[in-house]
Amino acid sequence: MTIGDAPPAPAAFRRALASLRPAQVRPEIELEDIPAPQRLAPYSGAVGGSVYRGDDELAVGRLIMLFDPDGQRGWDGPFRLVAYVRADMEPEITSDPMLGPVAWSWLTESLESHGAGYAAAGGTVTRAVSEGFGDKAADPVTTELELRASWSPLEEDLSAHVAAWCDLMCLAAGIPPLPPDVAALPPRSARREDPEPFRT
């Protein structure tokens, strides 16, 4: 190591980072490495995802993994996962007062169904309505659901948490999770070309 070189990342972080890229994912989902925020924790990594039906993108999301060996206030351990999901929805769905609790249950039930241990979960569910005016007056009114959440995983292997986040994106897109006895396929990006490694 020369002067000015950054010390190697801790082994626990490297193991967790490797588990962010699953070997298998359902065919509607496309994953890609994305830049991770650098100021929230000493070490971080992130993956972005989209849910497609044919060529139509139904939902998008991000999953960010933060690692601080000393932990931070509000965390339960050295790791923290931050998730974001956005999907277009019909106006009658976004106007349902139960949408918030239902959308939050998509996350918690997905985590539980994959056996992803977690603690200190919190988040928000937002409904957004976009209406055009002036030159945009002819544009159709659109309604969106946004879910932002964070939680502390109880294990270094984050593959179950990634699978739960993928299920969350699919549920937001109106696609039910795969039955337990149905196998997923390699990620779309991995089928097209070898994914580039994560950069820290």
Side-chain angles (χ1 to χ4, degrees), residues 87-177:
D88 292 335
M89 292 201 165
E90 297 296 329
E92 59 269 20
I93 297 177
T94 54
S95 64
D96 189 331
M98 289 303 296
L99 178 60
V102 168
W104 183 253
S105 74
W106 293 340
L107 171 63
T108 56
E109 290 174 8
S110 294
L111 289 167
E112 291 163 8
S113 69
H114 286 280
Y118 69 95
T124 61
V125 176
T126 304
R127 311 159 215 218
V129 179
S130 298
E131 185 177 0
F133 295 94
D135 292 343
K136 298 283 188 178
D139 291 356
V141 174
T142 60
T143 52
E144 294 179 339
L145 168 77
E146 290 187 354
L147 186 147
R148 301 171 188 269
S150 64
W151 64 93
S152 297
L154 302 183
E155 57 275 317
E156 289 179 8
D157 184 350
L158 304 178
S159 55
H161 297 265
V162 177
W165 168 69
C166 287
D167 278 0
L168 171 63
M169 286 195 295
C170 286
L171 286 164
I175 301 174

Side-chain angles (χ1 to χ4, degrees), residues 3 10 13 30 72 104 133 135 155 167 180 189 192 199:
I3 295 176
F13 169 75
E30 182 173 342
Q72 295 188 19
W104 183 253
F133 295 94
D135 292 343
E155 57 275 317
D167 278 0
S189 56
R192 287 199 298 266
R199 296 181 176 85

Side-chain angles (χ1 to χ4, degrees), residues 71-83:
Q72 295 188 19
R73 189 177 69 175
W75 295 14
D76 192 337
F79 289 99
R80 190 73 176 172
L81 290 173
V82 181

